Amino acid sequence: MSEQIITNPEMVRVWITLASYIVLPIIIIHMFIRLKWVQKVGTVIMAYALGILMALTGLVAFTPDSMEELQFNTVQNMMMNIAVPLAIPLMLFNCDFKLWTKALPKTIWSLVGGIIAILVAVVSGYYLFHSRQIPDFAKVSAMMTGIYTGGTMNFNALGAALGVDKSVMAIVLAFEMVLTMPYILFILGGGYKLFRRILPYKDETTNEVRRNTKGQQSIEAPVSDVEDYGHMFRKDNWYLTLAGLGLSILFLAIGAGLSILLWKMGIVAGNPENPDKPVLNELVIILTITTLGLIASFFKKVRELPKTFELGMFFILVFSIIVASLFDYHSIEGSTLGIGAFVLWIILCGGIIHLLLCRLFHVGGDLFTVSQVALLCSPPFVPPVVGAMGNKKVLISGLVIGLIGYAVGTYLGIGIYYLLQ
């Protein structure tokens, strides 16, 4: 195997690219510590910019159906699927769940408002673009309802349940990715500041995290910046930070084990193409690690583990670079513009309606922002936005909204299909 890697230039490029997913976040962190302009731009924006640059330069493009592409995609997907589940508990360890309960009513209003907005946008868009002769339009509408209230898991589930042609699914998903990513980049690039002005309502949870000289954290008073990588690599901190990582890995293993157990019991659906292969259900895993992370945060020793939030942000940077490197503007070639217009309508119309409802119920700008991201992109995208905004107080709310979206997205999609039919 090692001889093959050395003699095959493409294989060398595969492993260099994969290694860059780990090395680049470390470089970003060191730049963040030393350079003020990087502190202003933000680590997440830097990660997305580098990922898009990798995509545009063709660094992640390999010969189709080759052994190099297969190995690269396998390892890339594994890194992307592991990064966020490891990050979520690490970022929750320093949160005070008792403070979050004060924001529960606003979280519910934001969730309900977001779901209503998507439903209105999908139904109105269906009748607005009905004359465009979009294939399987009612089914497409159902899938868009699922993906914008729960994520790609609901999208794929609805596509399979409704028997949607795979070519149609590929076109819709391509437009969804191409049109949603600029909106997420707008939010990460400072769009959340606009939402703060439109929704200038105070967060219910007012306490934040203060770090002492050893880098340890205590929930006493606010700080100006969530990301504090100073002292992160000190020896007296490192073994405690690694203890937090070990705990996060344990939670991920428990979630994976529970997912397989539920699959064996027939509670979680398997893969129709390979029914004998164990299934790792994303909803079960994220729900498990989030619950365990919240429970762990009640223990003072866990809450005071140093730099766990920053280590979680490292994994978020890995995830951000990988996701951004998947950007492919060529993927919409040959597809109908009607689908693109429909998707764009859902994003804009749904966002405006959600914003107006949040204004009506006095929901704050940051809570609205994480609600949008959780519903449009699923829970894994919430931590990067929280890191960019510098507001850990809305992390739990965003994850909860995304998880509920996972749970109801498929049902809402089926309901929309029968309504439009």
Side-chain angles (χ1 to χ4, degrees):
M1 180 66 180
S2 59
E3 292 180 359
Q4 181 185 3
I5 294 176
I6 294 174
T7 57
N8 186 345
E10 280 291 280
M11 192 59 70
V12 171
R13 187 161 68 91
V14 165
W15 292 105
I16 290 176
T17 305
L18 292 172
S20 68
Y21 288 145
I22 303 296
V23 174
L24 288 176
I26 296 175
I27 294 174
I28 291 173
I29 289 173
H30 280 285
M31 292 175 65
F32 183 84
I33 294 173
R34 291 170 172 78
L35 302 176
K36 290 186 177 180
W37 69 269
V38 178
Q39 295 172 10
K40 292 181 179 180
V41 172
T43 55
V44 178
I45 291 295
M46 289 287 293
Y48 269 89
L50 290 174
I52 291 176
L53 184 63
M54 292 171 67
L56 295 178
T57 56
L59 185 61
V60 295
F62 298 93
T63 305
D65 301 323
S66 64
M67 181 62 68
E68 291 81 8
E69 184 187 52
L70 177 62
Q71 293 192 7
F72 177 77
N73 290 341
T74 300
V75 179
Q76 183 191 56
N77 289 333
M78 182 183 67
M79 294 173 67
M80 184 169 59
N81 292 335
I82 290 177
V84 172
L86 287 177
I88 288 175
L90 288 167
M91 300 177 76
L92 289 175
F93 286 159
N94 298 134
C95 294
D96 192 335
F97 184 72
K98 291 176 291 185
L99 297 177
W100 174 77
T101 56
K102 297 179 181 179
L104 183 58
K106 295 296 179 66
T107 300
I108 294 174
W109 282 123
S110 185
L111 167 65
V112 172
I115 291 177
I116 291 174
I118 292 299
L119 294 177
V120 171
V122 170
V123 173
S124 61
Y126 176 82
Y127 290 106
L128 183 64
F129 298 101
H130 196 269
S131 60
R132 297 292 187 96
Q133 302 298 320
I134 298 175
D136 293 331
F137 198 10
K139 296 178 180 179
V140 169
S141 300
M143 290 191 298
M144 292 311 303
T145 302
I147 199 170
Y148 280 153
T149 53
T152 53
M153 181 181 69
N154 300 81
F155 178 88
N156 293 327
L158 286 163
L162 299 174
V164 181
D165 185 85
K166 289 186 177 180
S167 62
V168 175
M169 291 180 64
I171 293 172
V172 176
L173 192 58
F175 269 115
E176 187 275 330
M177 292 179 63
V178 170
L179 294 175
T180 303
M181 180 165 283
Y183 181 52
I184 299 302
L185 291 176
F186 162 73
I187 291 175
L188 292 171
Y192 60 88
K193 296 178 182 178
L194 173 63
F195 299 144
R196 285 174 177 174
R197 290 193 175 187
I198 299 174
L199 302 170
Y201 305 110
K202 186 178 180 181
D203 288 315
E204 297 293 333
T205 52
T206 55
N207 290 340
E208 246 312 342
V209 175
R210 169 180 286 170
R211 295 173 173 80
N212 59 26
T213 56
K214 292 183 179 181
Q216 295 176 328
Q217 300 171 335
S218 60
I219 303 173
E220 295 175 355
V223 293
S224 59
D225 197 352
V226 166
E227 295 177 78
D228 181 8
Y229 297 101
H231 307 294
M232 184 174 179
F233 301 103
R234 283 176 52 161
K235 292 181 180 179
D236 55 345
N237 280 338
W238 192 235
Y239 76 96
L240 290 174
T241 307
L242 288 179
L245 176 60
L247 197 57
S248 182
I249 293 173
L250 174 63
F251 291 168
L252 176 56
I254 293 173
L258 181 60
S259 176
I260 294 174
L261 177 62
L262 293 176
W263 166 74
K264 288 184 177 180
M265 295 172 63
I267 299 175
V268 173
N271 185 352
E273 298 178 359
N274 191 357
D276 296 327
K277 184 179 180 180
V279 172
L280 294 178
N281 186 280
E282 186 178 10
L283 173 59
V284 173
I285 292 175
I286 290 184
L287 185 59
T288 301
I289 62 176
T290 301
T291 303
L292 293 174
L294 289 173
I295 293 173
S297 71
F298 280 94
F299 295 90
K300 185 178 179 181
K301 288 186 177 180
V302 174
R303 210 161 50 237
E304 292 182 349
L305 287 174
K307 303 301 177 183
T308 55
F309 184 86
E310 283 74 14
L311 183 59
M313 280 301 301
F314 165 78
F315 288 110
I316 290 302
L317 296 179
V318 173
F319 173 81
S320 300
I321 291 177
I322 295 175
V323 168
S325 70
L326 297 176
F327 180 75
D328 182 13
Y329 63 91
H330 295 295
S331 59
I332 63 172
E333 290 182 355
S335 57
T336 60
L337 293 178
I339 294 178
F342 178 55
V343 174
L344 183 61
W345 169 264
I346 296 173
I347 296 174
L348 295 178
C349 178
I352 292 172
I353 294 174
H354 190 195
L355 189 67
L356 293 174
L357 290 174
C358 285
R359 176 85 181 184
L360 178 64
F361 295 114
H362 291 191
V363 174
D366 286 2
L367 181 53
F368 163 80
T369 302
V370 295
S371 301
Q372 279 276 288
V373 173
L375 292 172
L376 294 183
C377 299
S378 75
F381 286 84
V382 172
V385 174
V386 170
M389 293 191 303
N391 184 3
K392 287 168 50 176
K393 294 176 288 183
V394 295
L395 175 62
I396 300 174
S397 297
L399 292 174
V400 168
I401 288 171
L403 289 170
I404 295 176
Y406 267 150
V408 304
T410 302
Y411 299 102
L412 292 172
I414 293 292
I416 286 294
Y417 170 70
Y418 283 109
L419 173 66
L420 299 179
Q421 279 292 87

